[in-house]
PDB file of all heavy atoms in Angstrom:
ATOM      1  N   ARG S  16    -182.506-148.360  74.313  1.00 98.00           N
ATOM      2  CA  ARG S  16    -181.889-147.456  73.224  1.00 98.00           C
ATOM      3  C   ARG S  16    -181.796-146.079  73.581  1.00 98.00           C
ATOM      4  O   ARG S  16    -182.642-145.565  74.360  1.00 98.00           O
ATOM      5  CB  ARG S  16    -182.733-147.714  71.849  1.00 98.00           C
ATOM      6  CG  ARG S  16    -184.208-147.287  72.127  1.00 98.00           C
ATOM      7  CD  ARG S  16    -185.070-147.476  70.928  1.00 98.00           C
ATOM      8  NE  ARG S  16    -186.368-146.920  71.104  1.00 98.00           N
ATOM      9  CZ  ARG S  16    -187.340-147.532  71.838  1.00 98.00           C
ATOM     10  NH1 ARG S  16    -187.193-148.810  72.262  1.00 98.00           N
ATOM     11  NH2 ARG S  16    -188.449-146.981  72.053  1.00 98.00           N
ATOM     12  N   GLU S  41    -190.033-158.556  90.265  1.00 93.00           N
ATOM     13  CA  GLU S  41    -190.673-159.868  90.259  1.00 93.00           C
ATOM     14  C   GLU S  41    -190.943-160.395  88.808  1.00 93.00           C
ATOM     15  O   GLU S  41    -190.903-161.657  88.529  1.00 93.00           O
ATOM     16  CB  GLU S  41    -192.006-159.763  90.968  1.00 93.00           C
ATOM     17  CG  GLU S  41    -191.989-159.195  92.288  1.00 93.00           C
ATOM     18  CD  GLU S  41    -192.031-157.615  92.264  1.00 93.00           C
ATOM     19  OE1 GLU S  41    -191.954-157.036  91.318  1.00 93.00           O
ATOM     20  OE2 GLU S  41    -192.246-156.904  93.377  1.00 93.00           O
ATOM     21  N   LEU S  54    -182.047-160.524  77.749  1.00 98.00           N
ATOM     22  CA  LEU S  54    -182.363-159.196  78.302  1.00 98.00           C
ATOM     23  C   LEU S  54    -181.145-158.805  79.262  1.00 98.00           C
ATOM     24  O   LEU S  54    -180.779-157.552  79.195  1.00 98.00           O
ATOM     25  CB  LEU S  54    -183.766-159.255  79.133  1.00 98.00           C
ATOM     26  CG  LEU S  54    -184.181-158.055  79.698  1.00 98.00           C
ATOM     27  CD1 LEU S  54    -184.327-156.929  78.707  1.00 98.00           C
ATOM     28  CD2 LEU S  54    -185.455-158.150  80.494  1.00 98.00           C
ATOM     29  N   LYS S  55    -180.700-159.734  79.939  1.00 98.00           N
ATOM     30  CA  LYS S  55    -179.503-159.374  80.746  1.00 98.00           C
ATOM     31  C   LYS S  55    -178.278-158.886  80.018  1.00 98.00           C
ATOM     32  O   LYS S  55    -177.627-157.777  80.317  1.00 98.00           O
ATOM     33  CB  LYS S  55    -179.026-160.601  81.793  1.00 98.00           C
ATOM     34  CG  LYS S  55    -180.011-160.840  82.848  1.00 98.00           C
ATOM     35  CD  LYS S  55    -179.708-162.159  83.413  1.00 98.00           C
ATOM     36  CE  LYS S  55    -180.515-162.273  84.830  1.00 98.00           C
ATOM     37  NZ  LYS S  55    -180.458-163.671  85.384  1.00 98.00           N
ATOM     38  N   THR S 136    -205.762-146.549  70.377  1.00 94.00           N
ATOM     39  CA  THR S 136    -206.064-145.514  69.383  1.00 94.00           C
ATOM     40  C   THR S 136    -206.615-146.092  68.022  1.00 94.00           C
ATOM     41  O   THR S 136    -206.961-145.309  67.195  1.00 94.00           O
ATOM     42  CB  THR S 136    -204.773-144.634  69.104  1.00 94.00           C
ATOM     43  OG1 THR S 136    -203.748-145.619  68.607  1.00 94.00           O
ATOM     44  CG2 THR S 136    -204.281-144.001  70.272  1.00 94.00           C
ATOM     45  N   SER S 141    -217.308-149.616  64.432  1.00 80.00           N
ATOM     46  CA  SER S 141    -218.494-150.055  65.287  1.00 80.00           C
ATOM     47  C   SER S 141    -217.897-150.060  66.791  1.00 80.00           C
ATOM     48  O   SER S 141    -218.663-150.471  67.742  1.00 80.00           O
ATOM     49  CB  SER S 141    -218.975-151.442  64.838  1.00 80.00           C
ATOM     50  OG  SER S 141    -217.826-152.371  64.921  1.00 80.00           O
ATOM     51  N   ALA S 208    -176.102-152.387  66.380  1.00 98.00           N
ATOM     52  CA  ALA S 208    -176.249-153.523  65.610  1.00 98.00           C
ATOM     53  C   ALA S 208    -177.509-153.653  65.000  1.00 98.00           C
ATOM     54  O   ALA S 208    -177.771-154.214  63.797  1.00 98.00           O
ATOM     55  CB  ALA S 208    -175.907-154.836  66.497  1.00 98.00           C
ATOM     56  N   ALA S 209    -178.562-153.255  65.647  1.00 98.00           N
ATOM     57  CA  ALA S 209    -179.939-153.300  65.080  1.00 98.00           C
ATOM     58  C   ALA S 209    -180.072-152.447  63.911  1.00 98.00           C
ATOM     59  O   ALA S 209    -180.632-152.783  62.864  1.00 98.00           O
ATOM     60  CB  ALA S 209    -180.971-152.944  66.146  1.00 98.00           C
ATOM     61  N   GLY S 227    -188.476-164.271  48.981  1.00 96.00           N
ATOM     62  CA  GLY S 227    -187.522-165.129  49.840  1.00 96.00           C
ATOM     63  C   GLY S 227    -187.968-165.328  51.194  1.00 96.00           C
ATOM     64  O   GLY S 227    -187.378-166.155  51.856  1.00 96.00           O
ATOM     65  N   ILE S 248    -184.286-151.173  69.067  1.00 98.00           N
ATOM     66  CA  ILE S 248    -184.736-150.387  68.010  1.00 98.00           C
ATOM     67  C   ILE S 248    -186.190-150.271  68.150  1.00 98.00           C
ATOM     68  O   ILE S 248    -186.788-151.142  68.710  1.00 98.00           O
ATOM     69  CB  ILE S 248    -184.294-150.953  66.669  1.00 98.00           C
ATOM     70  CG1 ILE S 248    -184.389-149.908  65.472  1.00 98.00           C
ATOM     71  CG2 ILE S 248    -185.111-152.202  66.257  1.00 98.00           C
ATOM     72  CD1 ILE S 248    -183.766-150.362  64.161  1.00 98.00           C
ATOM     73  N   ASP S 263    -191.354-144.434  48.028  1.00 96.00           N
ATOM     74  CA  ASP S 263    -190.383-144.363  46.744  1.00 96.00           C
ATOM     75  C   ASP S 263    -190.570-145.420  45.855  1.00 96.00           C
ATOM     76  O   ASP S 263    -189.951-145.654  44.844  1.00 96.00           O
ATOM     77  CB  ASP S 263    -188.997-144.308  47.209  1.00 96.00           C
ATOM     78  CG  ASP S 263    -188.577-143.074  47.875  1.00 96.00           C
ATOM     79  OD1 ASP S 263    -189.358-142.156  47.815  1.00 96.00           O
ATOM     80  OD2 ASP S 263    -187.409-143.053  48.597  1.00 96.00           O
ATOM     81  N   ASN S 306    -203.543-183.329  74.258  1.00 97.00           N
ATOM     82  CA  ASN S 306    -202.689-183.913  75.322  1.00 97.00           C
ATOM     83  C   ASN S 306    -202.184-182.647  76.152  1.00 97.00           C
ATOM     84  O   ASN S 306    -201.805-181.656  75.650  1.00 97.00           O
ATOM     85  CB  ASN S 306    -201.482-184.406  74.586  1.00 97.00           C
ATOM     86  CG  ASN S 306    -200.288-184.746  75.576  1.00 97.00           C
ATOM     87  OD1 ASN S 306    -200.416-185.189  76.687  1.00 97.00           O
ATOM     88  ND2 ASN S 306    -199.136-184.293  75.090  1.00 97.00           N
ATOM     89  N   VAL S 348    -193.802-176.128  63.058  1.00 98.00           N
ATOM     90  CA  VAL S 348    -193.591-176.940  64.269  1.00 98.00           C
ATOM     91  C   VAL S 348    -194.865-176.766  65.232  1.00 98.00           C
ATOM     92  O   VAL S 348    -195.261-177.691  65.964  1.00 98.00           O
ATOM     93  CB  VAL S 348    -192.353-176.574  65.143  1.00 98.00           C
ATOM     94  CG1 VAL S 348    -191.065-176.735  64.221  1.00 98.00           C
ATOM     95  CG2 VAL S 348    -192.372-175.224  65.694  1.00 98.00           C
ATOM     96  N   ARG S 414    -181.359-177.518  51.510  1.00 98.00           N
ATOM     97  CA  ARG S 414    -180.312-176.795  52.321  1.00 98.00           C
ATOM     98  C   ARG S 414    -180.685-176.640  53.833  1.00 98.00           C
ATOM     99  O   ARG S 414    -179.810-176.786  54.719  1.00 98.00           O
ATOM    100  CB  ARG S 414    -180.011-175.430  51.630  1.00 98.00           C
ATOM    101  CG  ARG S 414    -179.006-175.617  50.656  1.00 98.00           C
ATOM    102  CD  ARG S 414    -178.947-174.338  49.797  1.00 98.00           C
ATOM    103  NE  ARG S 414    -178.278-173.306  50.702  1.00 98.00           N
ATOM    104  CZ  ARG S 414    -178.069-172.046  50.366  1.00 98.00           C
ATOM    105  NH1 ARG S 414    -178.410-171.661  49.123  1.00 98.00           N
ATOM    106  NH2 ARG S 414    -177.635-171.163  51.166  1.00 98.00           N
ATOM    107  N   LEU S 465    -208.113-184.652  62.243  1.00 93.00           N
ATOM    108  CA  LEU S 465    -209.459-184.291  61.532  1.00 93.00           C
ATOM    109  C   LEU S 465    -210.539-185.011  62.214  1.00 93.00           C
ATOM    110  O   LEU S 465    -211.655-184.601  62.341  1.00 93.00           O
ATOM    111  CB  LEU S 465    -209.397-184.542  60.063  1.00 93.00           C
ATOM    112  CG  LEU S 465    -208.488-183.603  59.198  1.00 93.00           C
ATOM    113  CD1 LEU S 465    -208.411-183.947  57.634  1.00 93.00           C
ATOM    114  CD2 LEU S 465    -208.940-182.145  59.389  1.00 93.00           C
TER     115      LEU S 465
END
Side-chain angles (χ1 to χ4, degrees):
R16 62 183 183 278
E41 311 84 346
L54 183 59
K55 285 174 169 167
T136 62
S141 54
I248 193 165
D263 288 348
N306 162 50
V348 305
R414 276 176 59 184
L465 289 179

